[in-house]
Amino acid sequence: EADSTLEVAPPMAQAVPWRVTSVEPLPAFRLRVCFADGTQGEVELGEFLASTRVNDTVFESLRDPALFAGASVAQGAVQWPNGADLAPDAMYDAIRSQGRWVISAES
């Protein structure tokens, strides 16, 4: 008998508005992002990446502009080839309320 699992399980939908649908790396360690509901804005990581707080973390290598430019969307989140990623829900909330998300050294 054929496996009918696909008939039972619905395909994954963009049910939550904070799922990232596109990302564009910009100069000065910034990103332009778009979400499932059409919300768009910028994420600024310059201050965060310049801080000593990221030393010896997965984010430290993002100081390399070439690696930073490798940002892509994976499962609704911004992710880099080295495994670093950003919380899409926090990003969405900040962009909805302020138009941008500035990740500071204290974040």
Side-chain angles (χ1 to χ4, degrees):
E1 186 173 310
D3 184 3
S4 62
T5 304
L6 292 177
E7 296 172 15
V8 176
M12 191 163 132
Q14 298 279 352
V16 292
W18 46 258
R19 290 182 63 87
V20 177
T21 58
S22 68
V23 61
E24 177 187 357
L26 301 171
F29 300 107
R30 294 176 301 127
L31 303 168
R32 180 173 295 121
V33 295
C34 184
F35 297 91
D37 70 349
T39 297
Q40 298 181 39
E42 287 191 10
V43 180
E44 299 178 18
L45 289 106
E47 179 185 337
F48 174 67
L49 294 176
S51 75
T52 57
R53 187 164 178 242
V54 301
N55 292 352
D56 301 320
T57 72
V58 69
F59 291 98
E60 183 176 23
S61 60
L62 296 182
R63 291 173 176 160
D64 174 356
L67 183 61
F68 185 85
S72 64
V73 177
Q75 299 178 355
V78 174
Q79 182 176 319
W80 284 270
N82 70 344
D85 64 1
L86 298 175
D89 53 339
M91 185 185 329
Y92 177 83
D93 289 345
I95 289 172
R96 288 278 294 177
S97 67
Q98 302 163 16
R100 64 187 180 133
W101 187 29
V102 179
I103 304 175
S104 68
E106 292 83 38
S107 294

